[in-house]
Each structure stands twice: as structure tokens, then as C-alpha cells.
Amino acid sequence: MNENESFSKAYAEAGVDITAGYRAVELMKSHVARTKRVGAIDGIGGFGGLFRPDIAKMKEPILVSGTDGVGTKLKLAFLTDRHDTVGIDCVAMCVNDIICSGAEPLFFLDYIACGKNVPEKIAAIVSGVADGCVSAGCALIGGETAEHPGLMPEDEYDIAGFAVGVVDREKIIDTSETEAGDIIIALPSSGVHSNGFSLIRRIFVGKYDLEKPLDESEIPLGELLLTPTKIYVKPILALTSKLRIHGISHITGGGFYENIPRAIPDGLGAVIKKSDIRTPYVFDLIKKYGGVSEHDMYNTYNMGVGMCVTVGKNDADEALAILRECGEEPYIIGKIEAGSAKIRLV
């Protein structure tokens, strides 16, 4: 070993392989390159990610940021040895939050902590992050991989990230225009997304074969549960470019009862018609095998609705048409009414 090259025998004996980190960076460069967009400045491997935003056409640009992780859904990735989709979840949980303010995601950074740095596994995780960034139209401008021997098992890792977006102040979606009679539109989810997996693991892990379908499902249970979170950035941006949106709710942890009220001002509430909700089969499995009450299902999971968009009643038809042009399958699930109850499921 050349004394002028970076390598620490002592650190490697303690469980941290510096050269594995370098190898991981090399393997992920091609994935990062796929996410490049206007404003992104090359330089992976530096100390900071660089981005030059184009704000010339904005009167008062406002930065909007969001951070999140994937949670215990990662445990299923470990059990099934599938690591190329959880990065999508990580991006989705961040960009789907900031789009609720009407902000266009500009860039994303990730943080991966692992018990042992296996470059190929890290590269697979980052490939998912890149897929998510491409879907969201944002650049992956940096990140960090940290090897933590002794803090977590060698074959496990955690991933978190954050996104930064921008919106002109006058176009911020702040619920101030919400009024009784507004229509609530549902955007379908891809499945469970990234919430409620501690309950899911208690129901299924160790009891049912993750490599085989359960009941009428044609998809192996593990694959079904690992379906990545859907990213709604592009259809929402298309919608906000043509209509004034009154409110957006990203349906994550806490389900309907926690998230829909967050986009409704005081004195108003949402009335959601349960019979109109198009619920994927995976939620039937959770309810059946877990003995979970209907209330707890709606208070934990998205039940097939990844995002709710509130528009004026006269804009509903146009909103539905715009979203369909973007490849979505939107439908009406409720309306806004006056009253003290923030949400009623009827």
C-alpha cells in the first residue's frame, strides 16, 4: 500500500473500511448523473452539494424544505434482500410533503448509515434514490454514507434524506381560500407507501412466507408490501400551473384523521364518503390478518389515497381532466363543509 493513498489498517480492524466508501461512491455516480437538471452543478464527492436556482421569473421566491426517512419498512427490505426501491420511498416522503405547499422540488440529499459498507448494496439503495429524484424532477446533489459497526448489525442500514424546493410567495398553497362547498379529489396510492410498518411486521413477519402470495393476491407478500411510495410532484405542478388549489394533504402516518385536517382552516371540516374510496387489496389483508378495526385502518394507513387535493366546486371538472392528462386516475371522495368537526368519514 502506497503511504500517500487513503487507507487505515487500524480503522479497518475496528470495522470501518474507508476504501469501501470510495468504491460505493464510484458505483453510485452513474445513478446520480441520471438526476441532473437545470441548476445542478457537478461535484459529487465534495463537501457540499451545489445548486443554482432559476428565480428570475419569481416575484418573491420562498424556499420550502422537507425531511423524512423510510421507517421500519426497511426491515422488509432486509428480510427479502431487496434494496433498490427504499430509496424511492425516502425521496417520496420528502417531495410529497413540500409539494403540498406548491413548491417545485429542486434538489435532494440522502444519508445512509450502515453496519457494514457493502458498496453494491449502497449503490442499489442510491439507485432507488435516483429513481425517485427523476420522478420528482429534482437533482441528487450529494449525500453521506456512514459505517457504524457496533451501532447496528452488519447487514442493516437506515436511510433518511431531505429535499428543498421553491415557490413564488403569491402561489403558496396555504388553505386561506378554502370554503364550504369545495371538492376533495383523491389521487390513488401505489399501496401502503411508508407508514404503519411496525404494525404490518407484527401481523405478517415470522407468520407468513414473504416470498409467496397471500390469499387471492398474485404478488409475493414481501414484494406487495415493499411497493414504493408514489411520487405526485409532476401532476400537482401541472395542476397548480393552471388552477388555484385550496389545499393539499399528503396521507402519511396518522392516515385520514391526522393528515386531512392539516389542510383545512378552523371553522371548516372535510366530509369523506368511505364507499367512494378505492381501496387496494393489500389493506384488506392487513385488516383481515391483523384484526385491525376500520377506524384504526383509516387512522394508520392511506387506504388507497396517497394525496387529497381540495379545489373550488367550479374547478373540480377541470382539475380532474388535468390530472388525467398526467396519467393519474383521480376521483372525488368528499367535500368541505362548515362546522367544528375537522373530518367526518361517512
Side-chain angles (χ1 to χ4, degrees), residues 33 93 110-111 208 254:
M93 297 302 288
D110 61 33
Y111 176 82
Y208 303 96

Side-chain angles (χ1 to χ4, degrees), residues 106-259:
L106 298 176
F107 59 83
F108 185 86
L109 286 88
D110 61 33
Y111 176 82
I112 303 170
C114 56
K116 182 178 177 60
N117 189 332
V118 179
E120 292 74 17
K121 181 186 287 187
I122 299 300
I125 298 168
V126 174
S127 75
V129 174
D131 288 341
C133 287
V134 169
S135 180
C138 62
L140 177 57
I141 64 170
E144 174 71 12
T145 302
E147 199 167 16
H148 290 164
L151 187 60
M152 59 180 65
E154 286 192 354
D155 60 347
E156 294 192 2
Y157 56 85
D158 195 10
I159 179 172
F162 78 91
V164 173
V166 66
V167 61
D168 211 339
R169 190 183 189 101
E170 65 183 15
K171 295 183 178 181
I172 292 175
I173 300 170
D174 60 6
T175 77
S176 62
E177 297 180 31
T178 306
E179 59 184 9
D182 282 355
I183 301 300
I184 302 173
I185 296 173
L187 293 180
S189 68
S190 56
V192 182
H193 285 184
S194 300
N195 303 103
F197 274 85
S198 293
L199 175 56
I200 284 173
R201 289 187 299 110
R202 184 184 67 79
I203 295 170
F204 296 112
V205 173
K207 301 175 184 177
Y208 303 96
D209 191 341
L210 296 176
E211 301 298 328
K212 296 181 180 179
L214 194 59
D215 289 359
E216 291 84 11
S217 175
E218 297 179 356
I219 303 173
L221 179 59
E223 182 180 343
L224 183 67
L225 296 172
L226 276 173
T227 301
T229 306
K230 189 173 182 179
I231 292 174
Y232 300 94
V233 169
K234 291 178 181 179
I236 294 297
L237 288 178
L239 193 61
T240 58
S241 71
K242 297 179 180 179
L243 290 176
R244 183 63 181 174
I245 308 305
H246 292 182
I248 303 179
S249 299
H250 181 200
I251 312 302
T252 56
F256 281 56
Y257 287 100
E258 181 175 323
N259 292 290

Side-chain angles (χ1 to χ4, degrees), residues 74-85:
L74 292 175
K75 285 286 189 179
L76 294 180
F78 305 156
L79 290 170
T80 59
D81 196 27
R82 183 176 180 184
H83 311 286
D84 60 345
T85 62

